[in-house]
Amino acid sequence: ASFTIPLRTVDNITVTIKLRPGVSPSCQIRVKNFNRSELKIKPGENVTFTFTCSTPEKYFIMEIRKNIDCVSGPCPFGDVHLYPVGLPRLNRTFIWDVKASTKAGLELKFSSPWLRQIEPGETCPDFISYNINSCIDTATVNIGTFCRNGSVSRVKLLGGVVLSLHLPWDSSLTTSGFNIANRASIKRLCIIESILKGESSITLMSPNYPLGFPEDELMTWQFVVPSNMRASVFFHNYSLSNCERKEERVEYYIPGSLSNPEVFKLSDNQPANIAGSFNLSLQGCDQDAQNPGILRLLFQVVVQHPQVDENVTHLVDLSKEWNMTVTIHFEGWPSRIPLMSEPICLICKDPRTCDRVLTLVSGAIYKISFLCKDLSRLRITAEKGISCVDLRWCQRKIYSLSVPKAITQLPIRLHKFIWKLLAPDLINIEITSPSLKLQQHVPEQRCNTSYSYSIVSATPETEFHVGVFCPGGSIEKIQMRNNITISLKTFGKGFLNESNHQDLKMSFVPHIKDECIFTVSPNPKAKVYLQTPNWPYGLPPYVSISWYVIVPSKQVARLGFSKDRMGIACETGRAYVNIKEETLGAEETVRREDELLPKPRNMYHDFWVNISNCKPVDKTQLTLQFWVTLADKQIDLGVILAVVAGAGVLMAIGVTVCCVKKKKKKSQNPMVGVYNPNVNTQMPGKQGLFTKGRKKNESHVYAVIDDAMVYGHLLKESNGSVAPEVDVYRPFDGPIGSLPPSPPPFSFRKDIKRSSNTEEPPPLTETDHDTYTFAHQKSEQSEDNGDTTEKSNGDTSMSLLENKEQDSLVE
């Protein structure tokens, strides 16, 4: 197809068709049988041409430039048309270059739907864009690039203007969308008018953005806002130049304000909650010639309906709090930056000071209000610090780790409350939950409450995640070393109802040797799962953790591990699992990392579980999980019958002894022991057991003299009573130790003997005995699935006196 472009001289229009940058010249323009890659048609010419390809829009672009001289002659004011018509369908740019005096002003008035300013490099959805440049003498200032469908209705400029309209090849636009009018001098670089109807948000930039605003210039934005709406201004990106004279600032003219103009620094919080229309001006300064710097500004204006409870204020009393901050913010802060197109929620601490994020500090009382249609998009994050310098002062104090009512009474959901607990060396931290107790969040036992606690133990070098806990479990107390951070995080709206029942408390305690000690009182109705901290990454090297499990007197605990082995190999030191009941003479079970873990077992008293890590060979660290259940103690019927039978036998023996004694007292010739020198007193089959001679070893002396009457006259004192001298046993009434079992140091640990490979006891050797001894086999209570590899308590033989003393201890 051929195209003919006739240009009139009076129109002063030049048309240029040229190759797109970076495209090969495989398509040409044919004019009068001559091919060329560029065609320029000047005013007064009439040119016919064709393209040598069927898709010229892929290769060529077109520029239509119209020069308008308003200095030497009258300006053609009014609507601006897209001329000439009948142009080929190419990507095209219409340019209107208007020359005007700086003593006069030009106004570009855009028809609805007006314009929206975009950042450099951004493209418009329909690829139709306007670019406006101001020309003062020889200087050109880029006012900005705009798309259609916005709020910018007029742009007033000082001096000349160059306006460009970029259209894609398939655009059907037939009008320019603006007209030119003459105005008196505006005495500033430009004025941009923006009409805001209904709830909306617009973004605007200073001229030349992101480059510098011209030196010592002044410009103004006029915002037309309905009187029943509220506008707020936010500066998102700005920089300042180096001023020699004057000061860079912004000025607001707000109708009805008693202090117009209101002057702000660019670093200040800008006015918010403005009722109706207002003006905003940017003023530059005289810059340092050696190091001028740049002044630039990108800001947002948000227009909202006033809230139903616009005049409702909320009292936040933090006067009695200390070392605490409360931040009210949008959801996702600070990691997520909301889009400027998103509906905005503002928090105001006075009618004109509002922002998306507001931080309140302890020691003051605030009256805040919200400019937000949906308060569910706001959140609260608070942080409180508690420290101890002198244990003598702070050890006696118990701190409540509960969310203050000043926060819970606000109509905003609490996102997180963080307590930072700082303790110096040799002072540790104890966390208790007396009534609710804590449940550790594990895969088999997940928290389903409206909030949870994340506990982290930290040093300047490392961070140790103790775990995630929620109320309603079995952990009464956690003792930890180092500084602690506890983060309460909420889930859903239920926390408002449960916040009144918080009972987490904290105190400072003397130094503990373990990294962490848990005190657990298992729930009789549930299986309690406990796991090593820092899950799933594992315990750091050489860290020791202990659990103290409380077993009620009428119940028995069942302890088991969730896997058979620790699953690590040690490079340095040994990893140990120690289990020991908190009772006198209790045996201690110890397992190393290269051994099978104990099988499920019954525990009849309070007991300790200690897990100590080594330095593993590879990156796999120690992770262990175990469980505890409680059940009522079962009384065996056979034991009851044996006790009854034993009591009957003892009663019969007692009756018999009484009868024999009465009979002996009636006899006038008391029986005495008779010595027979011909009787062999040695045990059969144990020849040579007594190494002393018969006369030396005193084996002829009876261990028991049946009747005290035989030699009673030798024992009588002056008052006639018999008072033999005896030893008196006093039972131990001191406290039993409350410390966990301690494995030996890593560098000096030795293997511990176990019954699985215990040697047979050595045969009896020839020893001296001052009294006869009777061998009693010590009974051991066997259990189903019980572990038998325990540490031995020594020889099982004991004398009658030792047996008597142990019976006294049991009683």
Side-chain angles (χ1 to χ4, degrees):
S2 63
F3 301 92
T4 300
I5 299 179
L7 297 179
R8 297 181 303 179
T9 305
V10 67
D11 292 330
N12 202 13
I13 294 175
T14 301
V15 176
T16 303
I17 302 174
K18 56 186 176 180
L19 285 171
R20 298 175 61 177
V23 175
S24 61
S26 56
C27 186
Q28 298 286 314
I29 305 171
R30 178 178 290 272
V31 180
K32 295 180 180 180
N33 298 325
F34 291 98
N35 293 340
R36 60 181 67 181
S37 59
E38 182 174 330
L39 175 63
K40 187 172 184 179
I41 307 173
K42 298 178 180 180
E45 294 181 348
N46 189 334
V47 179
T48 300
F49 61 94
T50 60
F51 295 100
T52 60
C53 61
S54 60
T55 57
E57 67 274 6
K58 294 182 179 179
Y59 301 92
F60 294 97
I61 59 175
M62 182 164 50
E63 180 183 286
I64 304 98
R65 175 181 287 269
K66 180 178 176 65
N67 295 318
I68 302 174
D69 187 0
C70 294
V71 177
S72 58
C75 280
F77 298 123
D79 292 339
V80 176
H81 302 282
L82 298 182
Y83 182 83
V85 296
L87 297 174
R89 293 172 63 85
L90 303 176
N91 289 349
R92 53 201 181 275
T93 301
F94 290 90
I95 301 174
W96 294 272
D97 188 349
V98 182
K99 300 287 192 299
S101 170
T102 57
K103 296 180 180 180
L106 290 177
E107 178 182 283
L108 305 178
K109 186 175 181 180
F110 297 91
S111 57
S112 182
W114 303 322
L115 303 183
R116 172 177 63 89
Q117 189 172 8
I118 60 174
E119 296 185 48
E122 188 179 351
T123 58
C124 299
D126 57 1
F127 300 101
I128 299 176
S129 63
Y130 294 83
N131 184 263
I132 302 174
N133 288 272
S134 174
C135 300
I136 303 176
D137 299 329
T138 59
T140 300
V141 178
N142 181 21
I143 302 300
T145 302
F146 301 82
C147 301
R148 297 193 300 171
N149 298 319
S151 63
V152 176
S153 58
R154 288 189 296 179
V155 177
K156 303 174 185 178
L157 302 117
L158 181 66
V161 60
V162 176
L163 189 148
S164 303
L165 171 60
H166 303 276
L167 299 177
W169 68 271
D170 56 352
S171 174
S172 58
L173 190 68
T174 58
T175 61
S176 65
F178 72 97
N179 61 49
I180 300 177
N182 188 17
R183 286 291 181 266
S185 176
I186 58 176
K187 298 180 180 179
R188 61 198 66 204
L189 176 64
C190 65
I191 298 175
I192 299 176
E193 180 186 81
S194 184
I195 300 177
L196 300 165
K197 293 183 177 180
E199 289 196 337
S200 57
S201 172
I202 62 170
T203 302
L204 295 167
M205 285 145 274
S206 59
N208 279 344
Y209 187 90
L211 301 178
F213 186 67
E215 180 179 7
D216 196 24
E217 276 290 357
L218 172 66
M219 73 158 293
T220 298
W221 290 273
Q222 293 178 339
F223 298 100
V224 180
V225 181
S227 59
N228 63 335
M229 304 295 287
R230 301 293 180 267
S232 302
V233 180
F234 302 94
F235 286 3
H236 292 294
N237 188 16
Y238 68 89
S239 63
L240 302 175
S241 57
N242 298 315
C243 298
E244 282 189 345
R245 290 187 304 111
K246 300 182 182 179
E247 184 178 8
E248 294 166 336
R249 63 191 183 276
V250 289
E251 298 178 355
Y252 291 85
Y253 181 84
I254 302 174
S257 174
L258 301 177
S259 57
N260 281 323
E262 297 184 18
V263 180
F264 291 82
K265 296 180 179 180
L266 275 70
S267 57
D268 294 337
N269 285 332
Q270 303 303 309
N273 204 20
I274 303 171
S277 302
F278 66 98
N279 292 351
L280 167 61
S281 298
L282 175 64
Q283 175 67 64
C285 67
D286 290 334
Q287 299 173 351
D288 183 354
Q290 302 297 325
N291 183 21
I294 57 174
L295 170 63
R296 60 186 172 190
L297 172 63
L298 182 147
F299 67 99
Q300 181 185 16
V301 177
V302 178
V303 176
Q304 298 170 287
H305 283 291
Q307 304 307 299
V308 175
D309 57 348
E310 179 187 10
N311 297 323
V312 175
T313 59
H314 301 270
L315 185 68
V316 183
D317 187 358
L318 303 179
S319 59
K320 296 181 181 179
E321 299 291 341
W322 55 277
N323 202 17
M324 185 173 78
T325 60
V326 178
T327 302
I328 306 174
H329 55 85
F330 54 86
E331 189 176 8
W333 174 88
S335 58
R336 188 185 74 89
I337 299 176
L339 299 176
M340 294 183 186
S341 59
E342 290 184 23
I344 193 169
C345 277
L346 300 179
I347 310 101
C348 307
K349 62 181 179 181
D350 61 56
R352 289 278 300 280
T353 306
C354 305
D355 207 341
R356 282 183 167 181
V357 178
L358 177 65
T359 298
L360 312 176
V361 297
S362 55
I365 299 177
Y366 300 89
K367 291 182 179 180
I368 65 172
S369 60
F370 301 99
L371 192 59
C372 180
K373 194 171 185 178
D374 184 8
L375 290 179
S376 66
R377 293 188 285 116
L378 291 178
R379 296 289 184 269
I380 297 176
T381 297
E383 183 176 306
K384 183 179 180 67
I386 302 176
S387 61
C388 176
V389 178
D390 189 350
L391 184 61
R392 293 172 299 177
W393 178 83
C394 54
Q395 188 176 10
R396 299 186 299 270
K397 190 171 182 179
I398 298 177
Y399 301 86
S400 175
L401 302 185
S402 59
V403 181
K405 290 185 178 180
I407 296 176
T408 57
Q409 70 182 6
L410 290 174
I412 308 298
R413 175 179 157 187
L414 175 67
H415 171 61
K416 188 180 290 186
F417 197 106
I418 302 170
W419 290 274
K420 291 192 174 181
L421 314 178
L422 306 178
D425 294 339
L426 304 180
I427 298 178
N428 297 141
I429 293 170
E430 179 178 282
I431 306 297
T432 60
S433 182
S435 58
L436 295 178
K437 301 181 184 178
L438 296 177
Q439 170 189 314
Q440 189 173 16
H441 179 79
V442 299
E444 295 80 5
Q445 182 180 268
R446 296 182 178 274
C447 291
N448 58 2
T449 54
S450 64
Y451 66 99
S452 68
Y453 299 99
S454 175
I455 303 178
V456 176
S457 173
T459 63
E461 296 81 19
T462 60
E463 195 171 80
F464 179 70
H465 190 256
V466 178
V468 176
F469 304 86
C470 56
S474 300
I475 300 174
E476 293 183 348
K477 180 169 59 176
I478 306 176
Q479 292 177 310
M480 293 164 285
R481 294 162 58 181
N482 306 321
N483 297 328
I484 304 298
T485 298
I486 301 177
S487 300
L488 182 151
K489 188 174 183 180
T490 63
F491 307 95
K493 300 178 181 179
F495 177 74
L496 293 177
N497 299 325
E498 298 182 12
S499 61
N500 295 327
H501 307 291
Q502 301 172 78
D503 76 332
L504 197 67
K505 302 185 183 303
M506 187 278 298
S507 59
F508 294 98
V509 296
H511 182 70
I512 60 174
K513 61 188 175 95
D514 286 332
E515 189 72 30
C516 191
I517 299 177
F518 298 84
T519 300
V520 184
S521 181
N523 185 349
K525 300 180 181 179
K527 195 174 188 177
V528 179
Y529 288 90
L530 300 165
Q531 67 186 18
T532 51
N534 221 41
W535 192 280
Y537 307 105
L539 289 178
Y542 308 122
V543 166
S544 177
I545 307 293
S546 292
W547 292 261
Y548 181 65
V549 183
I550 299 173
V551 181
S553 59
K554 296 182 180 180
Q555 292 182 309
V556 59
R558 188 78 170 168
L559 168 67
F561 288 84
S562 298
K563 60 183 181 180
D564 296 332
R565 293 182 178 272
M566 298 188 200
I568 62 169
C570 292
E571 177 182 341
T572 307
R574 290 285 192 182
Y576 286 90
V577 172
N578 295 52
I579 304 171
K580 185 177 182 182
E581 286 189 282
E582 188 74 7
T583 185
L584 188 64
E587 298 173 341
E588 183 175 356
T589 300
V590 181
R591 291 293 183 274
R592 292 188 321 209
E593 81 283 350
D594 56 351
E595 298 174 321
L596 290 173
L597 292 171
K599 295 180 179 179
R601 57 177 51 208
N602 290 339
M603 311 296 286
Y604 296 90
H605 304 87
D606 300 350
F607 63 92
W608 287 94
V609 176
N610 174 270
I611 298 175
S612 302
N613 196 15
C614 62
K615 182 181 179 182
V617 174
D618 51 21
K619 293 182 179 180
T620 302
Q621 298 291 345
L622 176 59
T623 57
L624 277 183
Q625 184 189 88
F626 62 93
W627 49 264
V628 178
T629 59
L630 287 181
D632 293 333
K633 287 184 178 178
Q634 301 295 329
I635 302 177
D636 193 350
L637 182 60
V639 175
I640 297 176
L641 294 177
V643 171
V644 173
V649 172
L650 292 176
M651 185 178 295
I653 294 174
V655 172
T656 303
V657 171
C658 290
C659 293
V660 171
K661 285 189 176 182
K662 287 183 179 180
K663 185 176 180 181
K664 287 183 179 180
K665 288 181 180 179
K666 293 179 181 180
S667 175
Q668 298 296 326
N669 299 316
M671 294 176 61
V672 296
V674 179
Y675 170 65
N676 187 350
N678 297 322
V679 176
N680 180 15
T681 60
Q682 293 186 348
M683 289 180 61
K686 296 289 184 178
Q687 300 296 330
L689 178 62
F690 298 99
T691 57
K692 298 180 181 180
R694 177 65 175 168
K695 297 180 180 181
K696 295 180 180 180
N697 64 12
E698 297 178 347
S699 60
H700 60 286
V701 179
Y702 280 81
V704 179
I705 302 298
D706 186 73
D707 199 338
M709 294 176 61
V710 179
Y711 302 104
H713 64 285
L714 300 176
L715 301 173
K716 289 183 178 181
E717 298 178 352
S718 60
N719 57 5
S721 63
V722 179
E725 186 177 10
V726 296
D727 292 334
V728 178
Y729 171 73
R730 298 184 182 275
F732 176 74
D733 57 356
I736 298 177
S738 60
L739 295 176
S742 299
F746 291 99
S747 57
F748 298 101
R749 288 182 179 171
K750 299 180 180 180
D751 294 344
I752 299 177
K753 294 181 180 180
R754 296 158 184 81
S755 59
S756 58
N757 57 359
T758 302
E759 299 178 358
E760 293 293 329
L764 291 174
T765 57
E766 298 179 356
T767 58
D768 295 341
H769 289 269
D770 291 335
T771 58
Y772 292 131
T773 63
F774 300 89
H776 295 272
Q777 183 65 35
K778 183 181 178 182
S779 62
E780 293 187 357
Q781 186 175 3
S782 61
E783 305 169 0
D784 297 337
N785 299 327
D787 193 273
T788 60
T789 59
E790 316 296 343
K791 294 173 67 178
S792 176
N793 274 338
D795 199 348
T796 57
S797 297
M798 62 184 72
S799 66
L800 287 176
L801 180 58
E802 292 170 345
N803 191 25
K804 183 77 173 177
E805 290 176 350
Q806 293 220 358
D807 290 342
S808 299
L809 288 175
V810 173
E811 294 174 359

